[in-house]
Amino acid sequence: MMSEFDPDRVATSRERAILIGVDRPNTKFTIDSSLSELARLAHTAGADVVATITQRMHTPNPATFIGSGKAMQVSEMAASLDADMIIFDDELTPSQQSNLEKLMGEDVKVIDRTALILDIFALHAKSREGRLQVALAQSEYLYPRLRGMWAHLASNRMGGGVGSRFGEGESQLEVDRRMVRKKITSIRKELADLKSIRALQRGSRKRSGVYKIALAGYTNAGKSSLLNRICDADVYSDDLLFATLDSTTRAFKLADGRRATLTDTVGFIQKLPTTLVEAFRSTLDEITVSDLILHVVDASSKDFETQIDAVHEVFSQIHADVIPTIFVFNKIDLLDENTLHGLRRRYSSAQFVSSKTGDGVEDLIARISVAASSADALMRVTIPFSKGELVSLAHNRCYIAEEDFSEAGTIMTLRVPVDLVARFAEYEA
């Protein structure tokens, strides 16, 4: 099955790609949904899709992934459409990629979904940690492909562009396994050092008593835009897959005046490569150490249910599925009334917001405040004047509902975090 785009409408300054997908029975994601996402990934990376080809198979061909006849057909189509690259929707083995490259000829690149995602990550990673995480994932992906793919990616005929942002800073064309292993070891060590620094920062936030909230969800669900709306921030956001990779934390006040932090995290995607989950483990830790997760869903996407499943799969991998979670359906400004009403009935415990218009955001903040206070113990204490450090602790880490004074000391009605209850227990009235 094929669907072609009009070549005259494709911008000549961008690379031209043919997408290839194998339609297998009993798969979690439909072939149409997966290829539609692959097309968006290609667009984000800087390529225009000029044709899409699918083949129904129970198992991929071990030599060429698709059937040999179909592979020849793809080669001919690439020549006729002047395509620069072939992008496969699944990960290719090193031998499959090598065989396909020989078949397609020197002028056509062959990459897979994982390579495309890594390419986008290389394009969008801004922080030192983000760049290291991408470099680690790239190196681990390239390691088994050194004989064929490394030379292919490093060759002059690649000429940059989609699929070529591998091994940032590399100038050698011949890179052996020993050098790559050394690079992986070095990156892991540096990431471990950065992870220690991040852990210290998290520990400081924990000691401060600030309620920690993580924004998590599918890529392009509007997490960064929601953070900007709630925290009145200016974090970069765009209508692109993986527009932001580096976790960003901003502070804001809950409805009861308590301080909280909101952390934006890397978005998830169908068939998220395991290497990426592992490489971004320290960033994903921002989710696992949070007090509350806001699972942001793009309410306007026809595939939102599949996207929810993909996010839950990653939650399970990183053991975040035990953390209290609120569903937040974003982009409700793009829905008609009937669709929105249906979603509200179906997901009655979810919050519905528009990060663009602000609709529903105040209700969301109020809901977060309820979640934050539900984890606290309500205590009425009388603290002797000689225990001024406890009064200071109450002001720094507790929510003070009432405060008064008597001859016995400072009388306070507090919402106390669980880890501090024992400190105030002996002074409880």
Side-chain angles (χ1 to χ4, degrees):
M1 181 173 65
M2 304 180 193
S3 61
E4 298 185 22
F5 292 74
D6 182 1
D8 293 333
R9 297 172 59 187
V10 179
T12 56
S13 60
R14 292 167 62 87
E15 293 182 271
R16 300 161 62 83
I18 296 176
L19 308 185
I20 310 291
V22 169
D23 188 4
R24 283 171 281 185
N26 303 319
T27 54
K28 183 180 298 185
F29 308 109
T30 67
I31 187 67
D32 289 341
S33 169
S34 192
L35 284 173
S36 175
E37 185 170 89
L38 187 68
R40 292 198 66 197
L41 286 167
H43 173 75
T44 299
D48 289 307
V49 177
V50 295
T52 299
I53 300 177
T54 64
Q55 184 174 27
R56 184 178 291 273
M57 302 175 72
H58 283 277
T59 56
N61 185 306
T64 53
F65 195 79
I66 51 178
S68 56
K70 182 68 73 172
M72 285 297 299
Q73 188 178 358
V74 172
S75 178
E76 294 169 0
M77 176 174 285
S80 66
L81 293 178
D82 196 24
D84 303 292
M85 69 174 63
I86 311 296
I87 306 176
F88 281 77
D89 193 34
D90 293 272
E91 189 167 314
L92 300 172
T93 66
S95 61
Q96 287 170 340
Q97 183 158 355
S98 177
N99 292 335
L100 287 163
E101 287 170 351
K102 292 174 184 175
L103 189 61
M104 299 302 160
E106 290 188 355
D107 296 329
V108 180
K109 292 181 285 189
V110 177
I111 64 174
D112 58 20
R113 186 185 183 93
T114 300
L116 181 61
I117 293 173
L118 289 173
D119 192 77
I120 294 169
F121 273 40
L123 189 65
H124 290 171
K126 304 300 181 186
S127 71
R128 175 61 179 165
E129 185 175 25
R131 289 181 180 275
L132 284 170
Q133 288 167 330
V134 172
L136 176 61
Q138 287 179 335
S139 297
E140 291 179 333
Y141 173 82
L142 288 171
Y143 183 74
R145 296 167 170 81
L146 286 179
R147 179 170 296 180
M149 186 177 178
W150 185 281
H152 177 69
L153 288 172
S155 64
N156 292 332
R157 64 183 173 84
M158 287 289 286
V162 177
S164 63
R165 288 177 278 260
F166 281 76
E168 181 182 3
E170 293 288 346
S171 59
Q172 288 181 262
L173 298 182
E174 299 295 333
V175 181
D176 60 21
R177 289 179 180 271
R178 179 185 58 80
M179 292 179 66
V180 177
R181 283 198 302 267
K182 183 177 179 181
K183 182 177 180 180
I184 289 173
T185 300
S186 174
I187 293 172
R188 283 178 174 165
K189 183 180 183 302
E190 192 165 353
L191 281 173
D193 293 339
L194 291 173
K195 184 176 181 179
S196 298
I197 295 172
R198 189 184 286 273
L200 288 173
Q201 293 171 340
R202 292 192 192 108
S204 176
R205 289 205 301 268
K206 183 175 182 180
R207 289 188 298 274
S208 71
V210 173
Y211 191 70
K212 302 178 296 300
I213 307 155
L215 287 166
Y218 210 77
T219 183
N220 204 40
K223 298 185 299 298
S224 299
S225 298
L226 187 57
L227 181 142
N228 286 337
R229 174 65 68 171
I230 292 175
C231 301
D232 193 24
D234 58 354
V235 173
Y236 174 75
S237 63
D238 204 346
D239 186 22
L240 294 172
L241 302 186
F242 300 118
T244 53
L245 294 179
D246 303 308
S247 61
T248 303
T249 299
R250 294 290 185 271
F252 73 107
K253 282 190 176 182
L254 298 176
D256 59 8
R258 178 195 309 232
R259 290 181 299 157
T261 58
L262 191 60
T263 300
D264 187 15
T265 61
V266 62
F268 305 143
I269 201 170
Q270 293 179 23
K271 306 176 186 177
L272 187 67
T274 305
T275 52
L276 283 181
V277 175
E278 290 304 315
F280 277 75
R281 177 70 66 173
S282 62
T283 300
L284 294 174
D285 280 348
E286 292 289 351
I287 299 174
T288 62
V289 300
S290 62
D291 298 303
L292 177 69
I293 297 173
L294 301 184
H295 180 169
V296 184
V297 181
D298 181 355
S300 68
S301 172
K302 60 182 176 58
D303 298 316
F304 76 85
E305 290 175 302
T306 306
Q307 294 173 358
I308 288 174
D309 290 340
V311 172
H312 280 164
E313 188 174 322
V314 179
F315 280 179
S316 178
Q317 290 180 51
I318 64 176
H319 308 295
D321 46 352
V322 296
I323 299 173
T325 301
I326 298 174
F327 272 116
V328 181
F329 282 81
N330 191 21
K331 305 185 185 182
I332 61 172
D333 54 295
L334 301 178
L335 304 181
D336 59 61
E337 280 192 27
N338 289 335
T339 302
L340 179 56
H341 180 67
L343 280 176
R344 288 186 186 276
R345 284 200 309 170
R346 186 175 173 189
Y347 296 91
S348 57
S349 63
Q351 296 296 134
F352 294 84
V353 305
S354 167
S355 57
K356 181 178 181 180
T357 66
D359 189 22
V361 171
E362 289 301 321
D363 290 339
L364 172 59
I365 295 175
R367 174 79 177 275
I368 295 171
S369 297
V370 171
S373 62
S374 68
D376 297 340
L378 183 63
M379 303 180 73
R380 185 170 176 80
V381 297
T382 301
I383 302 175
F385 292 120
S386 61
K387 297 290 182 179
E389 72 278 5
L390 280 182
V391 175
S392 297
L393 182 64
H395 278 276
N396 288 331
R397 295 213 38 198
C398 304
Y399 171 68
I400 302 174
E402 294 180 357
E403 184 174 11
D404 203 351
F405 304 94
S406 70
E407 292 183 359
T410 305
I411 303 171
M412 310 178 88
T413 300
L414 307 171
R415 287 196 175 276
V416 184
V418 174
D419 62 314
L420 292 183
V421 169
R423 297 282 302 275
F424 291 96
E426 65 176 291
Y427 305 106
E428 193 167 13

